[in-house]
Amino acid sequence: MTAEQTAEQYMESLYGEDPQLKRVKEGIAASGMRDISIEPGYGRLLTLLVGITGAKQVMEIGALGGYSGMCLVRGLPEEGRLVSLELNPDFAAVARRHLEEAGYGDRVEYRIGEALDSLKQLEEEGRRFDLFFIDADKGNYPNYLEWAIRLANPGALIVGDNLLMRGKTTNPEEKGNGVTRMREFNRMIAQDPRLEGVLLPAYDGLALARVK
């Protein structure tokens, strides 16, 4: 590692370029979308977590251009399925195209609209999930966490991205709604008796919690 490299940059340098994920990144750029996808290292972790937990029913809240969806679906067994919640129909269309081009189109179900409405509908349908990935509007993170707990199968895993919000959550001068709600989410992961959780500080922060 050179003096100019961060620990994350050094570790990323050990991996070769992933052609499928590169195409997703290129597609996001070509669509004029802001690329706020999960970092590659955490993307690999998502694939690993889905695989080692044996998750078959997975949910992501926030599809963006399909980068995290690609990482999640790669870890699923053949019969596994991903439900992706996305507010913006244009984003969902980009994500769908990327997953279809990679051969995973028949394994992903998109729900378009407000995630809280989709979560209520999924509960009414009796759906339950083995793993959740939260990467959407920060002001609703505690609400999404509550819904994940409600829709969780026993022992389900909950993953949340962007805990640090590029330094905002650790800055006491930052008092916006998204920041304060993210701090609440982080406290819940660390202290909620229904969860067994850990907070990882690398990249922009990642939460991992098992529903007891």
Side-chain angles (χ1 to χ4, degrees):
M1 183 172 69
T2 68
E4 293 78 18
Q5 280 185 313
T6 66
E8 291 91 345
Q9 288 170 337
Y10 162 68
M11 292 177 183
E12 288 298 340
S13 73
L14 302 177
Y15 292 86
E17 192 168 57
D18 187 305
Q20 283 186 331
L21 294 176
K22 179 184 178 184
R23 283 194 289 273
V24 172
K25 288 278 193 179
E26 292 171 346
I28 289 173
S31 300
M33 301 163 61
R34 181 184 173 204
D35 189 358
I36 49 174
S37 304
I38 191 170
E39 293 290 344
Y42 282 155
R44 288 188 290 270
L45 180 59
L46 287 183
T47 303
L48 184 64
L49 289 171
V50 173
I52 63 178
T53 59
K56 295 181 180 179
Q57 297 298 321
V58 173
M59 176 194 293
E60 67 170 351
I61 304 177
L64 192 62
Y67 191 100
S68 59
M70 184 84 74
C71 295
L72 291 163
V73 79
R74 282 176 164 184
L76 286 170
E78 193 65 32
E79 69 275 18
R81 294 294 180 269
L82 169 67
V83 173
S84 180
L85 312 186
E86 175 54 55
L87 174 65
N88 189 316
D90 294 332
F91 290 2
V94 173
R96 187 193 303 273
R97 184 178 75 246
H98 288 147
L99 272 291
E100 288 176 348
E101 289 173 353
Y104 299 122
D106 61 340
R107 301 171 70 181
V108 186
E109 173 190 351
Y110 290 93
R111 300 282 181 114
I112 312 301
E114 291 285 351
L116 294 176
D117 294 337
S118 296
L119 289 161
K120 182 178 180 181
Q121 182 179 9
L122 287 163
E123 182 182 49
E124 292 171 351
E125 295 171 8
R127 302 286 292 273
R128 292 294 182 269
F129 298 87
D130 306 310
L131 188 144
F132 303 81
F133 176 56
I134 303 171
D135 189 10
D137 56 304
K138 309 313 174 191
N140 267 315
Y141 262 47
N143 295 329
Y144 296 150
L145 181 56
E146 286 289 350
W147 272 106
I149 294 171
R150 287 172 65 169
L151 296 178
N153 282 322
L157 190 66
I158 301 170
V159 185
D161 195 23
N162 302 123
L163 311 184
L164 299 175
M165 294 181 67
R166 305 193 183 283
K168 290 183 179 180
T169 54
T170 59
N171 181 356
E173 300 300 317
E174 294 283 353
K175 303 183 187 300
N177 179 66
V179 176
T180 57
R181 295 287 278 168
M182 182 61 80
R183 290 176 184 141
E184 181 182 349
F185 174 86
N186 292 341
R187 283 194 297 271
M188 290 174 70
I189 294 292
Q191 301 174 15
D192 194 299
R194 297 169 295 176
L195 302 172
E196 181 181 11
V198 63
L199 303 169
L200 305 179
Y203 299 101
D204 198 31
L206 196 77
L208 300 176
R210 184 182 65 86
V211 181
K212 294 181 180 177

